[in-house]
Amino acid sequence: LHLNEAQCRLRLNEYLPAAKLCSEVLARDADNVKALYRRAVANISMHEFGAARTDLLHAARLEPSNRAVRAKLSECVDAAKKERQNEKQLYAAMIRGAAAATSPVAAAPDGSSDRDQPKLQLASTEGVAAVGREKAEVGDSLEESGTDAERFNSFNFW
């Protein structure tokens, strides 16, 4: 019954409830391939590739001939690689931006200096700090509301 509801939740793009339902089934039967597979699908959709890979590897060991499990495992590995590559590019761009902000202002060929760029980069750094402050404020206000805070923290927005 929980697995049927989990499948419905997956189709409704309600990944966290689907994963929790599958976890309930797995608490009773740790070798349930269908629950492992559906929880992995939910985790992939939430970009939790490590957890999805663990579930899919367990399911593949239990049923080595299951094509759906092997295909989803391959999809998971590819998605994790792509996300890692995107993160590397993002961090490289951040480092280049930080390096440009700390370097001296270069003079243009006409003799004028380009002073706007460091100001823009400083503003973006201040924007990141503001987002951090907002996150802290949201977290503090949610802690007071009990179960809402637990639901919010389980999404890993930040």
Side-chain angles (χ1 to χ4, degrees), residues 139-157:
D140 292 343
S141 66
L142 285 176
E143 286 176 5
E144 298 168 0
S145 64
T147 58
D148 288 341
E150 293 168 2
R151 278 190 239 137
F152 178 79
N153 290 332
S154 68
F155 278 100
N156 294 327
F157 283 114

Side-chain angles (χ1 to χ4, degrees), residues 59-79:
R61 280 188 213 107
L62 294 170
E63 286 185 15
S65 61
N66 190 324
R67 290 182 184 177
V69 169
R70 289 185 304 176
K72 194 57 76 172
L73 180 58
S74 176
E75 177 186 324
C76 177
V77 169
D78 291 343

Side-chain angles (χ1 to χ4, degrees), residues 37-141:
Y37 179 82
R38 289 184 181 169
R39 185 169 72 175
V41 169
N43 282 327
I44 289 171
S45 298
M46 294 186 296
H47 296 267
E48 297 290 337
F49 300 115
R53 183 176 177 270
T54 301
D55 285 344
L56 290 168
L57 285 172
H58 187 167
R61 280 188 213 107
L62 294 170
E63 286 185 15
S65 61
N66 190 324
R67 290 182 184 177
V69 169
R70 289 185 304 176
K72 194 57 76 172
L73 180 58
S74 176
E75 177 186 324
C76 177
V77 169
D78 291 343
K81 284 180 185 177
K82 186 176 180 180
E83 185 171 271
R84 219 175 2 250
Q85 187 178 34
N86 289 343
E87 286 176 355
K88 283 182 182 180
Q89 291 173 351
L90 175 68
Y91 296 141
M94 289 169 56
I95 290 171
R96 282 193 304 270
T102 59
S103 66
V105 177
D110 64 356
S112 64
S113 64
D114 182 15
R115 299 210 178 265
D116 292 333
Q117 186 173 355
K119 290 178 185 175
L120 291 174
Q121 290 174 349
L122 178 61
S124 66
T125 304
E126 291 170 359
V128 170
V131 169
R133 286 191 300 275
E134 289 174 14
K135 177 185 171 192
E137 291 168 5
V138 168
D140 292 343
S141 66

Side-chain angles (χ1 to χ4, degrees), residues 3 21-36 39 58 62:
L3 287 177
L21 288 165
C22 292
S23 294
E24 288 178 25
V25 171
L26 291 166
R28 287 182 295 237
D29 179 11
D31 293 338
N32 188 314
V33 174
K34 193 181 285 188
L36 289 165
R39 185 169 72 175
H58 187 167
L62 294 170

